Amino acid sequence: MSMRITDSYMASILLTDLNRSLGNMLDQQRMAGSMRRINSFADDPRAVGTVQRYNALIANNEEYMSNVSRNRIIVDATDVALQSISEVLSDTRVLALRESSALSDNETAAVEVENLMNRLLDVLNTNVEGNYIFSGRQVYTPP
């Protein structure tokens, strides 16, 4: 029994295979051009959930890094402010020891104390990104 394959059937098989190859090549070019294996949900429906989970993890990590850098700025500003407070208190101690002698001038000491108080108030009113660092939970109101 011989089987006859017509020319039109062979041509349709060739065209089908050629179109399939062109479609695969188009998909590969799309992947190469976008540098992504999945460009739409139809490319790989199973992998879409994994991609979405990874995107959520990346977003969480970026938020974490943002929070860390913001908190680092606040800690650095607090450290500088505490060093300034230490300097003011040291200057106050020196002034108190100097004024404890009998030969001191009270008027200049009062001016110096007022200046030290103003410096201390300026340090206590330090704010970072609009938040006062020494105001406790109410960061938008000065201490």
Side-chain angles (χ1 to χ4, degrees), residues 5 22 25 35 46 73 95-96 98 101 115 119 121:
I5 300 175
L22 286 174
M25 188 172 70
M35 301 295 285
R46 289 184 185 173
I73 291 170
L95 179 64
R98 188 181 72 211
S101 69
N115 289 338
R119 273 180 48 198
L121 286 174

Side-chain angles (χ1 to χ4, degrees), residues 2-32:
S2 70
M3 184 178 230
R4 186 170 169 208
I5 300 175
T6 64
D7 291 337
S8 65
Y9 179 69
M10 287 184 61
S12 71
I13 289 175
L14 179 65
L15 285 175
T16 303
D17 288 344
L18 186 60
N19 284 333
R20 185 180 313 121
S21 295
L22 286 174
N24 288 339
M25 188 172 70
L26 178 64
D27 290 341
Q28 295 298 321
Q29 285 176 342
R30 202 176 287 144
M31 280 191 245

Side-chain angles (χ1 to χ4, degrees), residues 79-95 116 119-120 123:
D79 185 43
V80 169
L82 290 174
Q83 287 175 354
S84 297
I85 289 172
S86 176
E87 291 171 4
V88 168
L89 293 177
S90 175
D91 292 346
T92 304
R93 181 178 183 273
V94 168
L95 179 64
L116 288 172
R119 273 180 48 198
L120 186 60
V123 171

